[in-house]
Amino acid sequence: HLNAEPCCRLVPAFIAWLGTQETSENLWPAFDQFLRETLAATLGAGRIRCYHVANDDGQLRSLSSTTGSTGESQPVSTAHTDILAEVASTGREFVADGSSPETRTQTDTSWDWVWPVRRNGRTIGVVAVGKLASRILLSDTRYRSNVAQLTTLFWQHVSALEQLQRLQQTDKASGVLARSDFFEIAGHALADSYHQGEPVVVAVIAIEGLRYLDDAGRWQERDTLIENIGRTIAERVRSDDVVGRFCDDRFVILLRRSDSCLAKLIVEKLLEGAEQILGKLRELGGIVRVRAGLAGSGLGQTSLDGLLVTAFDALKRARRENHCLAADSQTAERETPA
């Protein structure tokens, strides 16, 4: 059975699994379960782990707790990551018994076979297999290649499906989440942060003066402005933060693992980026500008609605006091242990 073509088992199983996942909200954890169960049955393995290689920091992140193609989960904390990290960094498989020219000195006895998932010349994932019932397949390079290639194809298909789902949730004008989808996705992210004991901060960024552009007939410039600022915000936040367009001139951001000090630094950078985009509009005499308001959970577990209301209040205060940024006055108190 070990010499049977893996596609005889894996491809029909993947097609059947896909049919149940078109509207799944937990696509990557479900794919992790599918891979582990199917590879366990196909390879006779007693231990299988799948990891994203995060775009922003290159760290391994468990697929079972990932919420996006960028690897939005906590880094792997296992004590044995030397082989996994080497495969991720070199893009070469590891085989424990020395049958492959890619074999390295084994310092982690947990794994019999580790292979990379590659796309466009970079490693986007790592699959590790251990406790094989038979090690015969390790000497079969054709079999290993087929399994690795199919895994890569499945992974890329799921990534494309996830991107399609994200596109369907995206506000076309700004390129970030539409408001209804922001509430849903940010709600899940908030619950996960609170479950992990992590603080969050909600930021509201307002573009003031858009009405002037409308009245001046500069509609195309207005649309380009919204698009560029949305893209700038999305590119400058971290991979597991959540960005949405709340209304015509307001963007909202859920910053995970953040206290008020860190959030202020992040939002100040976002405002700087927006101001650079606004530079071409300075002939309007500063009528178009950006401001922000912040509200943090601190050590508590404030609801998403509560954080949004408080952040909007802070934004109003920033406008009233003619500041570019204002934070909720009680956020610092919530960050201080009683």
Side-chain angles (χ1 to χ4, degrees), residues 78-89 105-109 111:
T78 176
H80 299 290
T81 59
D82 47 352
I83 295 299
L84 303 179
E86 183 176 357
V87 171
S89 63
T105 301
Q106 185 177 8
T107 58
D108 179 1
T109 58
W111 306 114

Side-chain angles (χ1 to χ4, degrees), residues 1-4 39 42-48 83 93-104 106 108-115 127-148:
H1 295 292
L2 288 174
N3 292 323
L39 290 175
T42 302
L43 304 176
R47 186 183 183 215
I48 297 175
I83 295 299
E93 71 172 348
F94 165 83
V95 181
D97 69 348
S99 64
S100 167
E102 290 83 11
T103 298
R104 299 290 182 269
Q106 185 177 8
D108 179 1
T109 58
S110 301
W111 306 114
D112 296 318
W113 178 27
V114 184
W115 70 89
V127 181
V129 175
K131 299 183 180 179
L132 290 172
S134 172
R135 299 167 68 84
I136 297 176
L137 70 85
L138 294 180
S139 61
D140 190 336
T141 57
R142 182 169 179 267
Y143 186 90
R144 293 200 321 272
S145 176
N146 286 340
V147 171

Side-chain angles (χ1 to χ4, degrees), residues 9 43 45 66 74 77 88 101 117 155 203 210 212 215-216 234 241 306 310 318:
R9 302 177 183 181
L43 304 176
T66 298
Q74 289 300 298
S77 59
V117 177
W155 199 296
L210 290 181
Y212 189 95
D215 293 344
D241 296 329
T310 306

Side-chain angles (χ1 to χ4, degrees), residues 203-208 263-275 278 282 288-294 311 314-327:
V204 179
I205 295 180
I207 309 172
E208 300 177 353
K264 285 180 180 179
L265 291 174
I266 294 173
V267 175
E268 284 171 355
K269 293 295 184 182
L270 298 179
L271 293 177
E272 288 176 7
E275 288 290 346
L278 291 173
R282 285 312 179 200
V288 180
R289 63 171 302 173
V290 289
R291 299 184 200 272
L294 306 179
L315 176 64
K316 293 176 184 177
R317 181 160 57 86
R319 184 184 302 112
R320 185 170 59 249
E321 298 175 357
N322 197 28
H323 294 157
C324 64
L325 173 63

